[in-house]
Amino acid sequence: MQIYSLNSYQAPTYYKSSNMSFGSAKDITLEYVIKNHSKYLPQRVETEAKRVLESGNKNLPQLFELHNQVYKPLFEAKSLDEVKSIFPEFKDVIDVITLKDNRSKAIKAIEEKTQLENFTLDYLKKLYKPTGQDKLVQEYGFTNRNLLGWLNQKLNIKKLSGTYIKLIQMSDEKENSRIAELSRKALFADARVQEYRLTKAAEAHRTPEYRAKKQKEMIDFYKNNPEKAKKVGIISQKTWDSCPKIKQALSDYTKTLSPHVRRIIAKKRTGEPLSTDERRIVFGYYKGFWEQHADLKELYRERRIKVISELE
């Protein structure tokens, strides 16, 4: 069996210059966001962005600045009731204190970290800061991201779109500087794994259009070069064969899933055709596994790079 969500990755070529500029912040202007990705914006952010653009002001804020302005009252609020009075979209948010008798692992973890009556406001603020899910999991002592999803559903909290969060990050020059610093450090690391990590970090800061274009190019390339596609398959299989620890972890993870999901995974393994919904479930299956095992994801990548080097 192979880890399909990583099958399309290939080892990157070495960078030849330290003068790396990702250009993300200057490209992700407010005008660009409204024109191309307005559907991902919270309604009040979209409304404010359009107002600012129509004002004719030449000194426009970046998206992350506008976001902070719009949600400043949330970040400064002293109570959940105050938030609801200012932001109608949060009027149906439920205080986690109402779930105090629930036996969920999330509730237990929260109680070990803080008082339940202080959680919901703090959690809402961090979600809209926005704070990364992995960091939230760590801060609240959760075992995995699924507990965040459970909380959002139980508390009627609508989280920000992943694409919107990415746009916020890309519009912040400090984030670009962080990636540039990773570039500089990687130049002094004589290891392909450092090159690989840097490349993936840079890719994460490309525009959605750029990534979609590159994905299509890759699909077309392998259609026209079946021998290359075969080599990728060999690389994936050899990588998987060299990862007994990941095999066992994936097996243990699969046992925790519902019979319905396990049946679909079994169909995938035997090569049976899948419906659109089933393919979506398979994607979620691997995504959930890697989210719970970030350390193993790095191990898989490193093993894959090693296999590629051995086959060259």
Side-chain angles (χ1 to χ4, degrees):
M1 193 181 95
Q2 302 168 7
I3 303 295
Y4 295 93
S5 61
L6 291 175
N7 280 355
S8 62
Y9 292 169
Q10 295 190 51
T13 56
Y14 285 104
Y15 290 107
K16 298 181 180 180
S17 171
S18 60
N19 185 22
M20 300 181 188
S21 176
F22 300 102
S24 299
K26 67 181 181 182
D27 295 334
I28 309 303
T29 63
L30 210 55
E31 184 177 17
Y32 164 83
V33 171
I34 289 298
K35 182 178 179 180
N36 296 281
H37 304 293
S38 61
K39 65 180 180 180
Y40 298 112
L41 274 59
Q43 183 61 55
R44 65 174 55 248
V45 174
E46 180 183 4
T47 300
E48 181 62 14
K50 289 180 177 179
R51 186 195 68 78
V52 170
L53 287 172
E54 291 171 358
S55 70
N57 190 340
K58 294 183 179 180
N59 188 22
L60 297 176
Q62 290 286 53
L63 179 61
F64 81 95
E65 295 173 318
L66 185 70
H67 174 89
N68 288 337
Q69 292 171 11
V70 168
Y71 288 106
K72 184 178 180 181
L74 166 62
F75 303 146
E76 296 178 348
K78 303 301 183 182
S79 70
L80 187 59
D81 287 338
E82 181 183 347
V83 172
K84 292 182 178 183
S85 68
I86 300 173
F87 298 89
E89 62 266 39
F90 296 136
K91 65 182 178 63
D92 294 325
V93 171
I94 297 172
D95 197 318
V96 76
I97 197 70
T98 63
L99 304 176
K100 62 181 179 180
D101 296 326
N102 192 293
R103 296 183 178 180
S104 165
K105 292 180 180 178
I107 301 301
K108 183 179 179 181
I110 293 169
E111 289 179 319
E112 291 177 355
K113 288 282 187 178
T114 185
Q115 295 180 336
L116 283 182
E117 54 264 32
N118 299 329
F119 174 79
T120 307
L121 178 61
D122 181 68
Y123 179 59
L124 191 59
K125 288 180 178 181
K126 287 177 179 174
L127 272 181
Y128 276 74
K129 192 62 183 174
T131 304
Q133 291 194 49
D134 288 336
K135 188 173 181 180
L136 287 173
V137 167
Q138 182 180 12
E139 286 189 13
Y140 293 125
F142 296 158
T143 53
N144 57 68
R145 287 189 181 187
N146 292 335
L147 296 183
L148 293 177
W150 180 86
L151 270 176
N152 293 337
Q153 182 180 22
K154 288 293 184 180
L155 303 182
N156 288 333
I157 295 177
K158 183 178 180 181
K159 68 177 185 178
L160 297 170
S161 158
T163 300
Y164 176 65
I165 293 175
K166 185 63 65 178
L167 288 167
I168 292 175
Q169 294 170 339
M170 292 165 69
S171 69
D172 188 351
E173 194 61 49
K174 289 183 178 179
E175 184 68 6
N176 283 352
S177 297
R178 184 182 70 84
I179 297 301
E181 177 63 13
L182 290 177
S183 306
R184 187 190 67 78
K185 291 179 179 179
L187 290 172
F188 298 97
D190 188 19
R192 284 200 170 192
V193 64
Q194 293 294 337
E195 299 274 354
Y196 179 84
R197 287 172 178 168
L198 178 58
T199 300
K200 299 313 295 180
E203 285 180 7
H205 283 67
R206 302 292 190 182
T207 63
E209 291 86 357
Y210 176 89
R211 293 197 300 274
K213 176 184 176 183
K214 289 301 178 182
Q215 184 179 28
K216 184 178 186 304
E217 289 176 356
M218 182 180 293
I219 292 173
D220 292 342
F221 174 79
Y222 286 125
K223 282 183 178 179
N224 298 325
N225 297 272
E227 73 287 352
K228 296 290 186 181
K230 182 178 179 181
K231 183 177 180 180
V232 170
I234 293 173
I235 290 171
S236 297
Q237 188 60 55
K238 284 185 174 294
T239 302
W240 182 239
D241 291 342
S242 69
C243 297
K245 184 177 179 180
I246 300 179
K247 285 184 180 181
Q248 184 59 53
L250 187 62
S251 176
D252 294 341
Y253 171 76
T254 305
K255 292 175 183 177
T256 67
L257 304 178
S258 69
H260 175 63
V261 173
R262 293 202 300 269
R263 282 195 296 270
I264 294 174
I265 299 305
K267 285 180 63 176
K268 175 66 176 177
R269 292 174 182 172
T270 58
E272 296 182 51
L274 303 178
S275 67
T276 300
D277 287 341
E278 289 174 332
R279 288 195 297 272
R280 188 178 296 113
I281 289 174
V282 170
F283 174 82
Y285 164 72
Y286 288 115
K287 184 175 184 290
F289 172 74
W290 288 128
E291 286 175 350
Q292 290 188 29
H293 299 85
D295 57 328
L296 296 183
K297 188 173 184 179
E298 289 302 315
L299 174 62
Y300 182 88
R301 289 173 172 173
E302 291 169 7
R303 293 287 173 84
R304 185 177 180 86
I305 292 170
K306 182 180 179 181
V307 168
I308 291 172
S309 298
E310 292 172 348
L311 291 177
E312 287 182 346

